[in-house]
């Protein structure tokens, strides 16, 4: 099982980017999916999360600007980032809690590779 993130890049202040995170491999199901970010010299922080049923949660700093969504049929989560700011500059990591087999104890945490997002002044 692996998560593949894509969609990072450079955006001017006020611009938009959309990140994608796809889960590949053989597994029973996916619980929560989320996006984290880590800026230089800072700890990794939760940006947004979404449950299997679509419940969402956001960091205060991105409320009203970022939207997390998922397509369960495609095993993919998205992060639409609008009104980007220089403070959003970070490496973004996708996360998923994946159940490998039919028994609940087979759940494990998976991380995708980081994708750089840079918001310019």
């Amino acid at each position: 099982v692996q998560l593949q993130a894509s969609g990072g890049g450079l955006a001017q202040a006020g611009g938009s980017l959309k990140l994608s995170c796809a889960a590949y491999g053989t597994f029973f199901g996916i619980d929560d999916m989320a996006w984290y970010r880590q800026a230089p010299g800072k700890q990794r922080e939760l940006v947004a999360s979404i449950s299997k049923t679509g419940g969402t949660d956001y960091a205060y700093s991105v409320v009203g600007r970022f939207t997390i969504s998922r397509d369960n049929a495609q095993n993919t989560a998205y992060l639409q980032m609008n009104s980007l700011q220089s403070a959003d500059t970070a490496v973004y990591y996708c996360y998923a809690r994946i159940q490998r087999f039919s028994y609940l104890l087979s759940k494990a945490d998976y991380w995708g590779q980081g994708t750089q997002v840079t918001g310019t002044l």
Side-chain angles (χ1 to χ4, degrees), residues 59-103:
Y60 178 78
S61 61
V62 307
V63 169
R65 300 188 298 120
F66 291 10
T67 302
I68 189 170
S69 60
R70 63 190 285 174
D71 182 336
N72 290 332
Q74 298 295 324
N75 298 317
T76 300
Y78 305 94
L79 185 68
Q80 177 67 48
M81 303 182 292
N82 298 328
S83 303
L84 278 165
Q85 305 167 357
S86 59
D88 297 316
T89 298
V91 177
Y92 284 68
Y93 298 90
C94 63
Y95 158 89
R97 180 79 168 167
I98 295 178
Q99 184 172 337
R100 290 290 311 278
F101 308 105
S102 60
Y103 54 93

